[in-house]
């Protein structure tokens, strides 16, 4: 009975990690985030019931190591900061459920994620079980990456309002979010790629698929974050990487040429953003910032409007 429930919990976690990033609808106002968050609520309910049934709703005795304590401590800080936010909010619904139509990022969804992670830590999984969960995330991430690359090739050209082949967003709905989601998955792809008993060139294939998906988002923040993480990765693994580079330098040259070719549109985006920022600074100096209007894709101005709002909110009341 006990082991069957543990098995069910494992299957639920696997389904959750695999399916959540892939969930998209075509008939709601919010196509990407809303179905994912609803699934999060559903899975959290299922896992609370399963683990409660298994432990008869007694709290599990956590014999955590330092790393787990660090994770739980940081989750507690996130929870407390959101509770404080709820206490001082001007919109209880937004603070509880997140931004309207998306219903993500409020206290409810954050609490669900905290519960899921805490229950997972309470299970004290061995390395094999953790690897299975990470592999599930990778497979889901590869499906997302393949779809992103196909989007770049124009597979769903006339399906979305936005031009998906211009900046891919896959099943995450927004290029920046896609880049942010895929960056950790790139390192999972390297980790598992090297465990496959195949020719070394093919070991890099999963990582390359994720790499080009990140590149095709043309997300300046995403690619910048990826570059920083790659630099840290190279510094941490300098010894083994040096040997690989010596052996396969010609492959790296081909990859560099392909990257430069694929990154040409990024140059225009960076120039555009520089112009945008210049325009924004001029606007701010002329006290015209109240009349800001942002065109689609004008991310610099959109962010300024988003930052302007909370600053006005903070200074608007004593609360």
């Amino acid at each position: 009975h006990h082991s069957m429930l543990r098995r069910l919990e494992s299957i639920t976690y696997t389904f959750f990690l695999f399916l959540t990033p892939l969930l998209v609808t075509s008939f709601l106002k919010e196509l990407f985030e809303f179905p994912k968050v609803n699934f999060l609520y559903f899975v959290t309910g299922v896992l609370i019931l399963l683990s409660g049934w298994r432990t008869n709703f007694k709290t599990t005795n956590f014999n955590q190591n330092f790393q787990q304590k660090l994770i739980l401590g940081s989750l507690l800080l996130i929870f407390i900061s959101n509770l404080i936010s709820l206490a001082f909010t001007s919109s209880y619904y937004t603070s509880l459920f997140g931004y309207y139509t998306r219903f993500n990022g409020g206290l409810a969804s954050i609490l669900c994620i905290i519960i899921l992670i805490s229950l997972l830590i309470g299970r004290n999984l061995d390395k094999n079980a953790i690897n299975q969960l990470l592999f599930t995330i990778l497979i889901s991430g590869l499906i997302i990456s393949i779809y992103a690359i196909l989007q770049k090739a124009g597979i769903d050209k006339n399906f979305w309002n936005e031009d998906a082949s211009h900046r891919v967003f896959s099943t995450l709905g927004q290029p920046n979010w896609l880049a942010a989601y895929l960056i950790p998955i790139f390192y999972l792809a390297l980790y598992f790629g090297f465990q496959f008993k195949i020719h070394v060139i093919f070991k890099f294939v999963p990582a390359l698929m994720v790499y080009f998906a990140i590149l095709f988002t043309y997300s300046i923040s995403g690619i910048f974050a990826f570059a920083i993480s790659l630099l840290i990765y190279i510094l941490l693994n300098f010894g083994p990487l040096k040997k690989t580079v010596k052996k396969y330098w010609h492959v790296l040259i081909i990859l560099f040429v392909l990257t430069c070719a694929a990154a040409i549109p990024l140059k225009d985006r960076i120039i555009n953003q520089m112009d945008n920022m210049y325009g924004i600074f001029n606007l701010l100096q002329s006290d015209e910032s109240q009349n800001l209007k942002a065109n689609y894709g004008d991310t610099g101005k959109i962010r300024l409007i988003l930052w302007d709002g909370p600053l006005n909110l903070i200074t608007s009341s004593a609360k």
Side-chain angles (χ1 to χ4, degrees):
H1 171 73
H2 189 273
S3 65
M4 189 191 82
L5 285 171
R6 273 190 83 92
R7 185 99 191 95
L8 273 173
E9 283 175 59
S10 296
I11 291 165
T12 310
Y13 270 110
T14 305
F15 263 104
F16 172 69
L17 292 172
F18 179 76
L19 273 181
T20 311
L22 299 172
L23 290 176
V24 179
T25 62
S26 58
F27 54 86
L28 295 168
K29 187 170 179 354
E30 168 55 47
L31 312 180
F32 298 96
E33 260 186 288
F34 190 60
K36 292 175 173 67
V37 175
N38 271 295
F39 190 56
L40 168 70
Y41 290 151
F42 171 71
V43 168
T44 309
V46 168
L47 281 165
I48 287 171
L49 287 173
L50 284 175
S51 66
W53 192 8
R54 178 169 58 82
T55 58
N56 297 326
F57 289 96
K58 290 192 201 88
T59 50
T60 37
N61 182 25
F62 282 68
N63 300 321
Q64 307 106 348
N65 56 35
F66 176 70
Q67 214 173 357
Q68 291 169 331
K69 280 183 178 144
L70 201 65
I71 294 168
L72 288 167
S74 48
L75 290 177
L76 191 65
L77 281 175
I78 292 168
F79 180 62
I80 290 166
S81 66
N82 275 273
L83 268 183
I84 294 167
S85 168
L86 182 67
F88 289 99
T89 189
S90 58
S91 163
Y92 286 103
Y93 289 116
T94 310
S95 292
L96 262 177
F97 297 109
Y99 180 69
Y100 180 68
T101 72
R102 289 178 184 168
F103 294 107
N104 180 25
L107 187 67
S109 59
I110 285 167
L111 187 59
C112 285
I113 292 165
I114 289 172
I115 290 167
L116 290 184
I117 296 172
S118 304
L119 289 175
L120 199 58
I121 288 175
R123 284 167 63 90
N124 280 323
L125 299 176
D126 60 8
K127 195 175 176 201
N128 196 24
I130 292 168
N131 265 353
Q132 277 177 349
L133 291 178
L134 291 176
F135 191 66
T136 306
I137 295 170
L138 172 63
I139 295 299
S140 172
L142 287 177
I143 294 169
I144 291 166
S145 300
I146 291 164
Y147 178 32
I149 292 163
L150 291 173
Q151 260 187 341
K152 181 71 187 161
I155 190 173
D156 52 5
K157 206 163 180 58
N158 302 316
F159 189 75
W160 310 105
N161 293 338
E162 288 82 26
D163 181 4
S165 64
H166 178 53
R167 289 183 70 196
V168 301
F169 48 75
S170 194
T171 58
L172 276 95
Q174 211 270 3
N176 292 335
W177 302 343
L178 176 62
Y181 186 72
L182 288 180
I183 290 167
I185 289 174
F186 172 80
Y187 298 101
L188 282 183
L190 279 179
Y191 169 67
F192 283 110
F194 270 88
Q195 292 182 2
F196 294 137
K197 303 270 187 287
I198 44 175
H199 190 274
V200 73
I201 298 293
F202 296 110
K203 288 179 188 285
F204 288 106
V205 169
L208 282 175
M209 281 170 9
V210 181
Y211 173 77
F212 280 104
I214 293 169
L215 199 57
F216 291 148
T217 61
Y218 298 119
S219 157
I220 295 171
S221 54
I223 289 165
F224 186 59
F226 178 64
I228 292 169
S229 69
L230 195 60
L231 192 67
I232 294 166
Y233 178 79
I234 290 166
L235 289 172
L236 290 174
N237 301 286
F238 194 71
L241 283 173
K242 211 162 111 179
K243 283 182 201 154
T244 316
V245 169
K246 266 185 183 164
K247 206 171 174 187
Y248 297 102
W249 58 270
H250 46 288
V251 179
L252 280 171
I253 288 173
I254 296 167
L255 183 60
F256 180 71
V257 172
L258 284 174
T259 301
C260 291
I264 290 165
L266 193 66
K267 188 188 86 189
D268 298 336
R269 263 189 61 73
I270 292 169
I271 292 165
N272 281 346
Q273 289 297 4
M274 302 273 235
D275 290 346
N276 276 348
M277 294 316 285
Y278 184 69
I280 287 165
F281 285 126
N282 285 349
L283 264 177
L284 284 175
Q285 281 166 344
S286 63
D287 293 327
E288 287 276 315
S289 62
Q290 301 309 314
N291 313 325
L292 273 180
K293 285 184 178 59
N295 302 319
Y296 176 74
D298 196 347
T299 48
K301 264 191 198 156
I302 292 167
R303 276 179 187 70
L304 193 70
I305 295 166
L306 289 177
W307 292 337
D308 211 31
L311 278 172
N312 291 340
L313 254 180
I314 290 163
T315 52
S316 66
S317 84
K319 185 179 175 184

